[in-house]
């Protein structure tokens, strides 16, 4: 076992404390990664607070991981010591089922292995990226292109791919009108990516507080959902709506904004069920869909797309002793637009 430093929460309420965890010894196809930066995703909060179901403590969250390969197993072929790499929300899957074979490992029929709070094939409880090192099989590691710095690369491993995948799947492109609900970590990436794909982009945020930012990030229009006029004015106008909101919203109101054959895809994952009135769908042959992260191949494609289009998240780098404070700010929608932990500060008290 390899003993490494980490920040863990010991109960749903926290706080985070410096601790040590064990990583497995390198198996033939494993790489050891020295983590440089780890992003803070709202899913870390949902999971650690038990909102999606009970989890085991201590828990080290973090599934937006960027770092350097420092050791490789005897049969590793894809990576070498010194390579710049990333790890996202999953670290394994069965690799044999029909979905895995398609490169959609996130939809593995046997369930993918989450980067944290899951039991891996060795029977070990997985611990995430709020940590100095991680051991991952090479097939679940992606390469960070040279043009992307580690700190901005980290959030792409979840916020980036989770928005890139549905935008590609539902064909965001020139001539398409795309709305993004919620301008947080995922939302701001959705705006940048949809803009880069050539779509006409509208932000639907709770208020106009972040309007200047939204337009600068690439949105063509920006509306406050607290204003009932927004729903009248935009009725029937979008081909695709990407809902990134972490809380329950009135889906019927948003579905009314879709054009004929439009789709509202939910990537936001609130614990409470969302209800839909079927008349919101059947009236204009609309669809309500969901999407979860993206496969490994698509994650690499997204990173290369971001490097090529010079797309990077807007981040606020924090030291490891400030995770609790950052989480509170995420919960207040006070994030511009992703917190990223500088893992070099891990030992700081
Ligand atoms: P985030 O940074 O907190 O952003 C969420 C945004 O939603 C906020 O910035 C806010 O935007 C809006 N919002 C929050 N509470 C709201 C409320 N009560 N009513 C209306 N709008 C509200 O979170 P994130 O990291 O982007 O994650 C967003 C959600 O996606 C979370 O539920 C997360 O678990 C989920 N997620 C899913 C996947 C997947 O694979 N499907 C992957 C990653 C994350 P405004 O201030 O602009 O209104
Ligand atoms: Zn995430
Ligand atoms: Zn599978």
């Amino acid at each position: 076992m390899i003993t490494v430093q980490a920040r863990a929460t010991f109960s749903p309420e926290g706080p985070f404390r410096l601790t040590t965890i064990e990583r497995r010894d390198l198996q033939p196809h494993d790489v050891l990664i020295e983590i440089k930066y780890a992003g803070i995703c709202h899913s870390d909060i949902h999971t650690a607070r038990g909102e999606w179901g009970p989890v085991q403590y201590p828990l080290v969250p973090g599934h937006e991981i960027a770092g350097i390969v420092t050791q490789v197993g005897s049969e590793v072929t894809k990576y070498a010591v010194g390579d710049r790499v990333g790890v996202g929300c999953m670290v394994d899957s069965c690799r044999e089922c029909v979905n895995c074979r398609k490169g959609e490992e996130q939809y593995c029929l046997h369930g993918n292995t989450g980067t944290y709070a899951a039991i891996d094939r060795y029977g070990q409880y997985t611990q995430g990226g709020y940590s100095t090192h991680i051991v991952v099989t090479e097939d679940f590691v992606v390469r960070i292109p040279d043009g992307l710095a580690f700190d901005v690369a980290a959030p792409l491993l979840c916020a980036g791919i989770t928005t890139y995948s549905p935008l590609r799947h539902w064909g965001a492109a020139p001539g398409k009108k795309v709305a993004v609900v919620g301008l947080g970590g995922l939302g701001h990436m959705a705006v940048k990516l949809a803009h880069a794909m050539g779509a006409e982009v509208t932000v639907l945020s709770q208020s106009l507080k972040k309007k200047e930012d939204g337009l600068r990030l690439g949105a063509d229009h920006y509306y406050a959902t607290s204003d009932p006029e927004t729903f009248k004015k935009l009725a029937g106008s979008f081909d695709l709506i990407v809902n990134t909101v972490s809380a329950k919203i009135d889906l019927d109101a948003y579905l009314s904004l879709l054009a004929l054959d439009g789709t509202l895809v939910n990537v936001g994952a609130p614990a409470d069920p969302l209800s839909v009135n079927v008349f919101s769908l059947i009236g204009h042959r609309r669809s309500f869909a969901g999407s979860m992260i993206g496969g490994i191949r698509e994650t690499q494609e997204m990173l290369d797309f971001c490097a090529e289009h010079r797309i990077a998240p807007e981040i606020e780098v924090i030291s490891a002793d400030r995770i609790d404070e950052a989480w509170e700010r995420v919960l207040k929608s006070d994030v511009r637009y992703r917190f990223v932990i500088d893992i070099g500060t891990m030992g700081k008290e």
Side-chain angles (χ1 to χ4, degrees):
M1 288 289 194
I2 307 166
T3 304
V4 306
Q5 285 189 310
R7 294 274 168 166
T9 176
F10 290 75
S11 73
E13 298 78 35
F16 277 89
R17 294 211 306 264
L18 181 61
T19 188
T20 56
I21 55 169
E22 304 290 328
R23 302 295 192 188
R24 68 171 176 266
D25 289 326
L26 262 65
Q27 301 301 302
H29 284 282
D30 284 345
V31 300
L32 174 66
I33 299 167
E34 181 191 325
I35 302 175
K36 294 291 186 190
Y37 290 90
I40 292 178
C41 176
H42 206 121
S43 301
D44 298 348
I45 306 177
H46 291 304
T47 307
R49 300 205 165 172
E51 292 169 22
W52 289 343
V55 289
Q56 195 176 308
Y57 301 95
L59 174 68
V60 179
H63 58 207
E64 295 185 334
I65 298 169
I68 295 180
V69 174
T70 54
Q71 215 181 311
V72 295
S74 56
E75 289 172 34
V76 167
T77 56
K78 295 181 184 162
Y79 298 101
V81 170
D83 282 357
R84 304 170 77 248
V85 294
V87 177
C89 301
M90 52 183 176
V91 287
D92 205 352
S93 71
C94 88
R95 308 180 203 193
E96 285 166 3
C97 74
V98 59
N99 293 352
C100 282
R101 281 204 303 265
K102 270 191 215 154
E104 304 269 27
E105 302 91 349
Q106 73 279 30
Y107 304 121
C108 173
L109 292 176
H110 303 280
N112 72 64
T113 307
T115 303
Y116 57 81
I119 303 289
D120 65 20
R121 64 172 70 212
Y122 306 98
Q124 206 183 351
Y125 189 62
T126 59
Q127 300 283 19
Y130 298 6
S131 159
T132 56
H133 299 78
I134 191 168
V135 173
V136 183
T137 177
E138 60 178 333
D139 289 343
F140 283 74
V141 173
V142 287
R143 194 173 291 281
I144 297 176
D146 285 337
L148 282 171
F150 286 121
D151 54 358
V152 289
L156 298 176
L157 277 304
C158 176
I161 184 60
T162 301
T163 49
Y164 181 89
S165 185
L167 288 167
R168 278 281 188 243
H169 185 81
W170 279 280
K176 290 285 166 96
K177 290 186 177 183
V178 175
V180 176
V181 190
L183 195 66
L186 265 57
H188 96 292
M189 283 313 306
V191 170
K192 288 193 173 212
L193 291 166
H195 175 71
M197 291 173 191
E200 183 179 335
V201 185
T202 300
V203 173
L204 301 172
S205 179
Q206 292 167 95
S207 71
L208 295 178
K209 270 192 285 191
K210 296 178 276 192
K211 181 171 178 181
E212 257 178 50
D213 286 355
L215 298 177
R216 178 174 51 81
L217 296 171
D220 301 284
H221 318 279
Y222 199 107
Y223 292 92
T225 52
S226 53
D227 180 357
E229 282 303 310
T230 294
F231 290 89
K232 286 187 197 152
K233 185 163 183 213
L234 301 176
S237 49
F238 300 111
D239 301 298
L240 177 64
I241 300 178
V242 181
N243 175 21
T244 74
V245 174
S246 47
K248 193 172 174 174
I249 58 168
D250 176 3
L251 278 184
D252 295 308
Y254 289 87
L255 286 167
S256 74
L257 305 184
L258 288 174
L260 179 66
D261 288 327
T263 299
L264 187 161
V265 57
N266 229 83
V267 291
D272 292 331
L274 297 172
S275 70
V276 178
N277 182 331
V278 290
F279 289 98
S280 302
L281 299 172
I282 62 184
H284 291 77
R285 202 163 51 198
R286 293 163 172 145
S287 302
F288 175 48
S291 181
M292 188 170 70
I293 50 173
I296 297 298
R297 189 175 56 226
E298 194 174 40
T299 303
Q300 187 64 60
E301 178 189 307
M302 175 275 310
L303 286 170
D304 297 342
F305 180 89
C306 287
E308 186 190 332
H309 292 263
R310 300 190 175 281
I311 293 174
E314 312 253 315
I315 59 168
E316 184 172 337
V317 176
I318 60 160
S319 53
D321 59 341
R322 290 182 53 212
I323 297 169
D324 297 291
E325 191 186 319
W327 276 30
E328 287 312 315
R329 285 185 51 198
V330 170
L331 288 169
K332 287 189 204 132
S333 302
D334 178 24
V335 48
R336 307 224 174 165
Y337 283 89
R338 200 60 148 181
F339 288 108
V340 175
I341 306 163
D342 175 358
I343 298 297
T345 64
M346 183 55 67
K348 192 176 169 199
E349 284 302 343

